[in-house]
């Protein structure tokens, strides 16, 4: 039912945890199942220098979050905004149809974390502004 990649990321999720002094934090809930996802990012010179996630979600949510953090690490904020639910699922070798909604959490939380960073940056008027 699940690809080897999904099982690998589920069993050995990458980049789990919190970044206490994160530059951006995004939390989203999945209306379909009520699960929750938070993504933390550290940004340096417009790139995602570090990224971690925490989830109260199913196995597919864990695997998609893990893959999302791998895809986003080292990317510019613009590149990271282009990571979509579909590209995450594709990178995992596909997801069962009933589990496609689980990939929404990670991509949406990533985008929310980037928006949060931009908002905070605007307020600070930092030179990191994009
Ligand atoms: Fe809730 Fe997968 S069932 S995120």
């Amino acid at each position: 039912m699940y690809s080897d990649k999904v099982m690998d990321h589920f069993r050995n999720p990458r980049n789990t945890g919190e970044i206490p002094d994160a530059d951006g934090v995004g939390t989203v809930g999945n209306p379909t199942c009520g699960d929750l996802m938070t993504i933390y990012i550290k940004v340096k010179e417009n790139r995602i220098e570090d990224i971690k996630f925490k989830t109260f979600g199913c196995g597919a949510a864990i695997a998609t979050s893990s893959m999302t953090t791998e895809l986003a690490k080292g990317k510019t904020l613009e590149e990271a905004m282009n990571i979509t639910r579909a590209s995450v699922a594709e990178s995992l070798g596909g997801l069962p149809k009933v589990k496609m909604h689980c990939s929404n959490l990670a991509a949406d939380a990533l985008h929310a974390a980037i928006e949060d960073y931009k908002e905070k940056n605007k307020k600070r008027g930092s030179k990191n502004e994009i």
Side-chain angles (χ1 to χ4, degrees), residues 30 32-36 55-61 98-99 101-103 105:
N30 191 326
T32 315
C33 62
D35 290 345
L36 275 179
T55 185
F56 296 96
C58 69
V98 291
K99 287 285 173 182
H101 74 269
C102 310
S103 64
L105 275 180

Side-chain angles (χ1 to χ4, degrees), residues 2-14 63 92:
Y2 289 113
S3 72
D4 290 347
K5 269 195 185 167
V6 173
M7 291 312 291
D8 176 34
H9 279 266
F10 168 60
R11 291 200 180 108
N12 308 295
R14 281 61 141 180
L92 283 166

Side-chain angles (χ1 to χ4, degrees), residues 21-94:
D21 59 341
D23 297 317
V25 180
T27 299
V28 296
N30 191 326
T32 315
C33 62
D35 290 345
L36 275 179
M37 166 80 55
T38 302
I39 284 194
Y40 306 83
I41 54 171
K42 279 299 270 184
V43 180
K44 195 173 178 191
E45 290 167 9
N46 200 45
R47 271 183 198 279
I48 297 184
E49 190 184 38
D50 198 13
I51 179 164
K52 290 200 185 300
F53 79 92
K54 254 183 11 189
T55 185
F56 296 96
C58 69
I62 292 169
T64 51
S65 317
S66 171
M67 178 53 90
T68 299
T69 60
E70 283 216 318
L71 290 174
K73 210 173 199 170
K75 295 271 189 335
T76 66
L77 296 179
E78 294 77 9
E79 287 165 345
M81 280 307 267
N82 286 331
I83 295 172
T84 63
R85 305 158 174 188
S87 59
V88 173
E90 201 179 300
S91 306
L92 283 166

